[in-house]
Amino acid sequence: METKPTINNQQSRAEFLRSLGLSSAALMAFYCMGTLTSCSSDSDDPAPAPAPPSNVDFTLDLTTSDFSKLKTIGQFAYRDSIIVARVKDGSYVALSKACTHQGTDVQYRLNEDDFWCSNHGSEFGANGVVQVGPAARALTVYKTALSTDGNRLRVTA
């Protein structure tokens, strides 16, 4: 005849609950210590993006390898703290390149005809205005002027 060991159900239940409480507390402590940012006090508060320069005045040579791609609609390039793109309608747009949410460089997307931040998904129109957050402030817009021969693009504040 087989004998089964007797287990005090109340004691094992209490021990189980106690161990569950400790493991949950340990998990939350690990989660909130910085390996994951969900409990971080500043996870919703963006780090300020660097201030865009106000003294912008430069010319891009569109015949050089660094900037020749700007002759093609949908292409973009960075120069210092600015992104320059040839947007869907064929015009040139120059904006501050740092997303105003946390400073990640934005990219131009031809299909959506917008500027997009890969970090948290903010989207900006060609006029710099926020279309989709979490960014709350617009990108700075700079003036562009194409030379008559189409080979030089001047960007100014």
Side-chain angles (χ1 to χ4, degrees):
M1 179 185 277
E2 186 177 324
T3 59
K4 294 182 182 178
T6 58
I7 299 174
N8 181 340
N9 284 340
Q10 286 184 337
Q11 187 176 15
S12 67
R13 199 175 303 132
E15 286 175 5
F16 171 75
L17 292 174
R18 198 173 313 120
S19 68
L20 182 63
L22 288 175
S23 63
S24 296
L27 181 60
M28 279 309 280
F30 174 75
Y31 188 71
C32 294
M33 282 176 32
T35 57
L36 299 173
T37 59
S38 293
C39 293
S40 165
S41 62
D42 63 348
S43 65
D44 293 329
D45 297 333
S54 57
N55 58 345
V56 172
D57 189 353
F58 61 82
T59 301
L60 301 177
D61 183 347
L62 302 182
T63 64
T64 65
S65 60
D66 289 340
F67 302 110
S68 62
K69 65 182 178 180
L70 289 174
K71 288 191 170 195
T72 304
I73 291 175
Q75 295 296 308
F76 65 91
Y78 300 110
R79 163 80 189 263
D80 300 324
S81 60
I82 297 173
I83 182 172
V84 178
R86 182 103 187 253
V87 295
K88 196 174 247 182
D89 69 5
S91 65
Y92 289 95
V93 173
L95 303 169
S96 53
K97 73 176 184 179
C99 177
T100 57
H101 177 238
Q102 290 188 336
T104 303
D105 289 354
V106 297
Q107 305 166 26
Y108 176 70
R109 299 186 303 179
L110 178 61
N111 290 339
E112 290 79 8
D113 197 28
D114 69 359
F115 292 82
W116 175 70
C117 176
S118 63
N119 197 17
H120 293 107
S122 292
E123 298 175 12
F124 303 86
N127 58 359
V129 173
V130 177
Q131 296 174 331
V132 174
R137 289 179 289 121
L139 299 173
T140 301
V141 179
Y142 298 95
K143 298 174 192 159
T144 60
L146 188 62
S147 63
T148 53
D149 66 2
N151 289 326
R152 290 178 308 284
L153 182 69
R154 185 169 181 201
V155 178
T156 57

